[in-house]
Amino acid sequence: MTGWTTGLARPDHPDAGVLLREYMADMVRRWYGRPERPGEVAAALAEMPSDDLAPPTGLLVLAHHDGRPAGCAGLRWQPGWAELTRVYVRPAHRGSGGGAALLAAVETYADGAGADRIRLDTRADLVEARALYARHGYREIPAFNAGPYAQHWFEKTLPARVDETSVSR
């Protein structure tokens, strides 16, 4: 993961906006199997906004490679767990550790916020994403939502926390 750094950003930060738009353009192209048409990306962003990827409902992690914006991943807080979404690495940086850096960062943030697991849904055509999740300990589970683009569901249990009140002194 040499050259990768991660940090939090608001979805309305200029770098975040560019990466989220690229993410959605990639999703549109792959879903339809053709270049996106005028207005499709804007419509998709309106249908599935990312404004909840900020406190108190979630967070957005940006990944930089050699100081330049190169990827993003978001978490939405659920009772006791976190939903992973908007995982994206720019094509020029794929295969160089960006996905792993993003997953490590979101797992650290989720664990720090008290989540006991991370869940996500993804599509069948996103084979690279499914392989990334499996490589990093996410396992396929039964559907936990009925999202219009959800075809595969994954979960990773985060390290167990020691309950300080139960530790004898």
Side-chain angles (χ1 to χ4, degrees):
M1 295 191 301
T2 304
W4 288 96
T5 58
T6 59
L8 295 176
R10 295 190 58 84
D12 59 0
H13 183 278
D15 289 344
V18 168
L19 288 165
L20 289 166
R21 185 167 188 75
E22 288 178 17
Y23 161 84
M24 196 59 73
D26 192 43
M27 294 300 100
V28 168
R29 283 191 299 271
R30 292 178 71 147
W31 181 257
Y32 292 111
R34 58 164 170 74
E36 68 273 18
R37 294 180 180 150
E40 279 184 323
V41 173
L45 287 167
E47 177 188 345
M48 296 178 290
S50 299
D51 54 346
D52 61 345
L53 301 180
T57 55
L59 60 81
L60 182 66
V61 176
L62 296 189
H64 290 79
H65 189 261
D66 295 332
R68 294 194 170 103
C72 61
L75 288 177
R76 289 189 180 104
W77 303 125
Q78 306 295 337
W81 59 281
E83 178 187 9
L84 180 62
T85 186
R86 306 293 191 268
V87 178
Y88 174 73
V89 175
R90 284 181 160 162
H93 298 288
R94 292 180 184 164
S96 65
L102 284 163
L103 290 180
V106 296
E107 289 169 13
T108 298
Y109 287 117
D111 187 52
D116 64 5
R117 64 195 181 284
I118 295 176
R119 287 181 165 181
L120 65 101
D121 65 64
T122 191
R123 300 183 338 214
D125 62 320
L126 302 177
V127 293
E128 306 92 339
R130 292 183 8 238
L132 173 73
Y133 302 135
R135 267 194 320 275
H136 290 274
Y138 290 77
R139 61 181 179 78
E140 284 212 51
I141 60 170
F144 65 88
N145 66 20
Y149 304 104
Q151 298 167 318
H152 292 268
W153 296 262
F154 287 83
E155 178 179 89
K156 182 174 184 177
T157 302
L158 298 174
R161 302 170 152 276
V162 175
D163 181 356
E164 293 179 11
T165 61
S166 67
V167 176
S168 60
R169 298 184 193 251

